[in-house]
Amino acid sequence: QVQLVESGGGWVETGGSLGLSCVSSVSIHSSDPMAWYRQAPGKQRELVARIRSGRDPEYRDSVMGRFTIGRDNAKKTVYLQMNSLKPEDTAVYYCYARRDGTTYWGQGTQVTVSS
């Protein structure tokens, strides 16, 4: 049973930074895609960043240059460092993993950026 637990959300002013972490209950394989999504109230969930070991990370255009995704397979953790935050980044951020043909989601962590 795979469980993903996010942490690190909170409230920041525009231009501030937050670092999110997602810890898996099972080992992370180098071939397992992992990603961060976010969803604002009344809007669709959208991909923020994704990563697979051995490949270049991918980012949506609106966060390019501001966010950095990383992973530590030994710690069973994926990270999202968010810098230069904007009010439009306000959302619930969800950790995502695809393992052995099954998709897993964390419960989400709230990120609020004041204007």
Side-chain angles (χ1 to χ4, degrees):
Q1 187 79 7
V2 176
Q3 294 181 328
L4 304 174
V5 180
E6 306 99 331
S7 63
W11 181 94
V12 296
E13 296 180 350
T14 298
S17 298
L18 283 173
L20 307 182
S21 297
C22 171
V23 180
S24 172
S25 63
V26 300
S27 298
I28 299 174
H29 299 152
S30 61
S31 60
D32 293 336
M34 299 194 74
W36 289 95
Y37 285 73
R38 67 187 182 188
Q39 187 169 22
K43 298 183 179 180
Q44 294 184 343
R45 188 173 298 185
E46 64 183 21
L47 176 67
V48 178
R50 60 188 172 195
I51 187 171
R52 186 188 302 180
S53 294
R55 299 188 179 190
D56 293 334
E58 299 174 287
Y59 303 91
R60 71 180 302 106
D61 288 344
S62 61
V63 307
M64 182 70 69
R66 300 188 297 119
F67 291 11
T68 302
I69 189 171
R71 62 192 291 167
D72 188 331
N73 293 335
K75 296 182 181 295
K76 300 185 291 185
T77 302
V78 62
Y79 306 95
L80 184 68
Q81 179 63 43
M82 304 183 293
N83 300 323
S84 302
L85 283 162
K86 305 175 180 179
E88 52 262 44
D89 295 319
T90 296
V92 177
Y93 283 69
Y94 296 91
C95 184
Y96 162 100
R98 182 75 174 175
R99 181 184 175 91
D100 297 328
T102 302
T103 299
Y104 299 93
W105 294 95
Q107 292 299 308
T109 184
Q110 176 71 46
V111 172
T112 303
V113 185
S114 64
S115 60

